[in-house]
Amino acid sequence: MEIRSPRRRNTAALALVCVAALASSCGGSGDPAKTGDASAAASTITVWTRAATESQTKALAESYNASHANKVKVTAFPNEEYPAKIATAAGGRNLPDLFASDVVFAPNYISQGLWQDVTDRFDALPFKDKVAPAHIKEATKDGELYAVPHTVDISVMFINKGLYKKAGLDPEKVPTTLREFADQATTIREKLGGKTYGTYFGGNCGGCDVFTLWPSVWADGGEVMNADGTRSTVNAPRMAAVFDIYRGLYADGVAAPGSKDENGTTWLGALQSGTIGIAPGPSTWLGLLQDKGIDVGVAPIPGVNGGRSTFVGGDVIGVSATSKKADAAWDFLAYTLSKKVQADLQAKGRSTVARTDLTATDPRVQTMNDIMAVGRTKFNESYNDPQSPWVKTLRDALFGSDPAKALEDGAGDISASLDQR
């Protein structure tokens, strides 16, 4: 999930055509070149990704290229243009050998037949049961797997340890309930005041609040939609309780004023300023916050009454339906999931890894890895559209005069929107 500013574009309107033609072009014989086979001609494997994951994709390719006869060539496209590029290439039967996708859009590409079935290849991996479960679930249809994790991004709480200490709080005693989170944020605001605030959130960003508020509902055993994703339950008591806490933090001046209009574009910058005590955000920000000189800690997002959960985002990647180099393409994918790559390129790079059986060298990254194993991915494009009823609902519930009515009305409006998808 691209939680840089999690405002994904609606891909449902893109015409992903020629599915039947794509299916007939997937020979499946694969490429004769195998890793380490000097007698076989080396292949060049083409990979497409979006700008948000370009640096990590290229790092994986460079590592692979340095030790393999086959070579990987990466092409990245601007985030806004990427879905259209995939659609055009699909229509022209000209997809690359591999292409990555935001994990929440994986079911769409699978239903369009744009990735090859890799179930047997994946099942042959000795660590297959240890690979990011939420990603695997989203990339599976009718028991068949079509893509594997490429990048992993989860929602966590970031703690400014320096501000905690100044406010007389122990930064190692992280909140175990959302109420404790509110109490700690309030203490920071009251003790330090001035330009220092207890917390910050994306009050005008549908994707931001899906990513950071929903985990608190899940942690308490609640749901935000029915199992089929066709009916909203945002008016349920557990969702209302989460909104009530964030609403109070803003009304009491504990949350920074910018929270009300934050649409995701300046979300990271607010935390990088060093004036926010504790706030939810994407795990990929760990290094970016530390690079600003902030002594930052990481904690799970708790429920109102306890528990912990996370929204598991990031990207998956699969062998395209038109690729005639399936063997070589899979060799690269298997390499990216290997212990060496996951441990060296990701854990040491302060990123959440795609396997639950590896120990990170940074305890904060290990915390993120542990949370990832129990996280979930549940999404529909209705929630990300800036004009969606979800955005209106969350704003009315956070800042309006009648939050209960906002959630009640919103549940109906969101359900109607879901029914149209």
Side-chain angles (χ1 to χ4, degrees), residues 60-146:
L60 292 168
E62 289 171 4
S63 178
Y64 181 87
N65 291 344
S67 56
H68 292 71
N70 291 333
K71 303 302 175 186
V72 173
K73 180 181 179 181
V74 177
T75 300
F77 297 95
N79 296 347
E80 302 294 325
E81 299 176 10
Y82 190 59
K85 291 289 185 181
I86 296 296
T88 300
R93 298 172 57 185
N94 192 34
L95 288 165
D97 296 305
L98 294 161
F99 74 89
S101 163
D102 189 318
V103 63
V104 300
F105 294 138
N108 181 49
Y109 289 131
I110 292 170
S111 67
Q112 296 294 334
L114 301 190
W115 280 318
Q116 296 186 34
D117 180 358
V118 294
T119 307
D120 291 342
R121 298 177 188 273
F122 182 76
D123 285 346
L125 297 176
F127 50 82
K128 69 180 182 68
D129 293 329
K130 306 299 183 181
V131 178
H135 281 59
I136 295 300
K137 181 179 179 181
E138 290 299 300
T140 300
K141 181 180 181 181
D142 298 330
E144 297 179 340
L145 181 68
Y146 292 88

Side-chain angles (χ1 to χ4, degrees), residues 19-36:
V19 174
L22 285 172
S24 66
S25 70
C26 304
S29 60
D31 183 79
K34 301 293 181 67
T35 302

Side-chain angles (χ1 to χ4, degrees), residues 191-415:
K191 294 287 187 180
L192 304 183
K195 295 182 179 180
T196 299
Y197 288 88
T199 192
Y200 192 86
F201 58 90
N204 193 30
C205 177
C208 303
D209 291 328
V210 163
F211 195 62
T212 57
L213 270 63
W214 286 9
S216 290
V217 178
W218 296 333
D220 266 341
E223 297 292 342
V224 295
M225 286 185 281
N226 63 355
D228 295 332
T230 57
R231 183 172 61 84
S232 170
T233 57
V234 296
N235 57 331
R238 289 183 176 87
M239 184 83 258
V242 173
F243 271 112
D244 184 60
I245 287 179
Y246 279 93
R247 177 186 176 88
L249 288 170
Y250 182 81
D252 294 341
V254 176
S259 299
K260 183 175 183 178
D261 296 318
E262 179 57 66
N263 63 9
T265 57
T266 58
W267 187 14
L268 170 60
L271 272 63
Q272 286 180 317
S273 71
T275 60
I276 305 299
I278 177 172
S283 59
T284 52
W285 287 358
L286 175 59
L288 298 174
L289 293 172
Q290 184 169 304
D291 290 344
K292 288 292 184 178
I294 299 173
D295 184 9
V296 60
V298 172
I301 293 179
V304 173
N305 300 306
R308 64 177 189 170
S309 190
T310 187
F311 194 110
V312 182
D315 282 30
V316 292
I317 187 169
V319 182
S320 77
T322 56
S323 176
K324 298 186 183 303
K325 302 176 183 178
D327 288 347
W330 176 256
D331 187 66
F332 172 64
L333 294 188
Y335 174 81
T336 66
L337 296 175
S338 68
K339 180 177 181 179
K340 169 181 169 51
V341 172
Q342 290 292 306
D344 292 352
L345 294 184
Q346 296 190 55
K348 291 181 181 179
R350 298 173 298 191
S351 300
T352 310
V353 297
R355 284 174 53 175
T356 61
D357 59 335
L358 301 180
T359 301
T361 56
D362 187 325
R364 298 169 301 180
V365 175
Q366 186 58 44
T367 295
M368 296 190 295
N369 295 347
D370 293 341
I371 303 168
M372 181 270 292
V374 299
R376 300 171 59 178
T377 299
K378 184 80 171 179
F379 191 77
N380 184 286
E381 293 156 4
S382 292
Y383 294 94
N384 206 60
D385 187 337
Q387 306 304 317
S388 73
W390 162 244
V391 176
K392 181 180 186 304
T393 299
L394 73 87
R395 286 190 59 77
D396 289 347
L398 288 170
F399 312 114
S401 60
D402 192 341
K405 184 176 186 301
L407 292 176
E408 187 65 31
D409 292 347
D413 292 342
I414 295 169
S415 294

Side-chain angles (χ1 to χ4, degrees), residues 38-50:
S39 63
S43 294
T44 296
I45 308 154
T46 55
V47 181
W48 282 8
T49 188
R50 55 203 175 107

